């Protein structure tokens, strides 16, 4: 994504032209507080691509399943059609299992606290490491570089709910354990 979208999404806190990096480096090396140094040099990056696509993103990705999202992207017309076709092509290159697990995960952790989200992330990462598709993606993209992964299963329709459920099943003794805030403060 571009800088305007990164700023609007909160992925970055400031946008500065590269020509001003020297000023920032000098101010920070003089022990000036970082926030004011960046605040006075910040330049609004304008409207990003995501902002203009927001209605189409909501229309397409606010669906009840990955298949419905794919259908909506394929049916998108007008100004957002090129974006939608590109997004659909990107999804079609992904592991069908990963798409369905990710779809459920994003919806499941909406509103969850950081601890619950990290525990679920760990559970999913552990399950993906036990499966086929992660290693197949690495093989196709990084090792052989043929960019032709052989996903198992190879279509969204063949990924059953039971298979998706298995990714979310507790890990038992291997479950991620995070210290509570009180426990972390007691360590100080």
């Amino acid at each position: 994504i571009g800088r305007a979208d990164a700023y609007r999404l909160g992925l970055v806190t400031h946008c500065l032209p590269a020509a001003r990096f020297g000023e920032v480096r000098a101010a920070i090396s003089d022990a000036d507080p970082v926030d004011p140094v960046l605040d006075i040099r910040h330049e609004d990056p304008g409207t990003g691509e995501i902002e203009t696509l927001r209605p189409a993103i909501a229309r397409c990705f606010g669906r009840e399943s990955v298949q419905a999202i794919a259908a909506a992207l394929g049916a998108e017309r007008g100004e957002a059609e090129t974006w939608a076709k590109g997004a659909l092509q990107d999804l079609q290159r992904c592991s069908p299992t990963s798409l369905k697990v990710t779809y459920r995960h994003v919806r499941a952790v909406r509103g969850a606290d950081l601890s619950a989200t990290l525990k679920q992330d760990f559970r999913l990462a552990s399950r993906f490491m036990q499966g086929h598709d992660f290693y197949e993606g690495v093989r196709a993209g990084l090792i052989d570089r043929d960019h032709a992964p052989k996903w198992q299963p190879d279509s969204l329709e063949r990924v059953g709910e039971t298979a998706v459920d298995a990714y979310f099943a507790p890990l038992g003794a291997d479950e991620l354990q995070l210290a509570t805030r009180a426990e972390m403060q007691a360590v100080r």
Side-chain angles (χ1 to χ4, degrees):
I1 64 174
R3 68 188 235 146
D5 290 325
Y7 180 69
R8 298 286 180 252
L9 292 170
L11 301 175
V12 299
T13 58
H14 298 83
C15 292
L16 308 152
R20 302 209 60 190
F21 285 3
E23 297 172 31
V24 172
R25 187 178 306 118
I28 292 172
S29 65
D30 286 341
D32 289 348
V34 174
D35 287 337
V37 168
L38 296 176
D39 289 346
I40 62 172
R41 290 168 177 84
H42 170 74
E43 294 180 8
D44 189 306
T47 303
E49 180 185 26
I50 290 175
E51 192 60 37
T52 60
L53 290 170
R54 190 177 294 270
I57 291 169
R59 241 185 342 269
C60 294
F61 283 92
R63 302 298 173 126
E64 69 281 355
S65 69
V66 179
Q67 292 94 318
I69 291 170
L73 288 167
E76 187 69 27
R77 299 293 179 261
E79 291 180 22
E81 183 175 357
T82 301
W83 162 80
K85 299 291 184 250
L88 180 57
Q89 287 175 345
D90 290 344
L91 291 179
Q92 289 169 335
R93 285 191 288 270
C94 295
S95 156
T97 301
S98 295
L99 289 173
K100 283 197 166 185
V101 169
T102 301
Y103 176 86
R104 183 183 295 177
H105 178 53
V106 167
R107 280 153 178 77
V109 298
R110 232 185 242 165
D113 65 18
L114 180 60
S115 177
T117 302
L118 290 174
K119 287 177 182 178
Q120 187 73 321
D121 288 348
F122 180 80
R123 188 179 290 171
L124 295 177
S126 297
R127 295 284 191 236
F128 279 115
M129 296 298 291
Q130 296 169 358
H132 168 270
D133 284 3
F134 174 77
Y135 296 100
E136 179 60 12
V138 170
R139 182 210 57 78
L142 299 175
I143 297 171
D144 295 342
R145 297 184 184 187
D146 62 9
H147 302 287
K150 311 257 184 308
W151 305 125
Q152 293 179 6
D154 62 356
S155 70
L156 290 169
E157 293 72 31
R158 292 184 178 172
V159 179
E161 288 304 306
T162 302
V164 174
D165 291 343
Y167 281 83
F168 293 86
L171 294 170
D174 294 329
E175 201 73 57
L176 178 66
Q177 300 298 319
L178 296 173
T180 66
R181 181 180 176 129
E183 290 168 336
M184 290 189 305
Q185 289 177 339
V187 173
R188 287 197 228 177

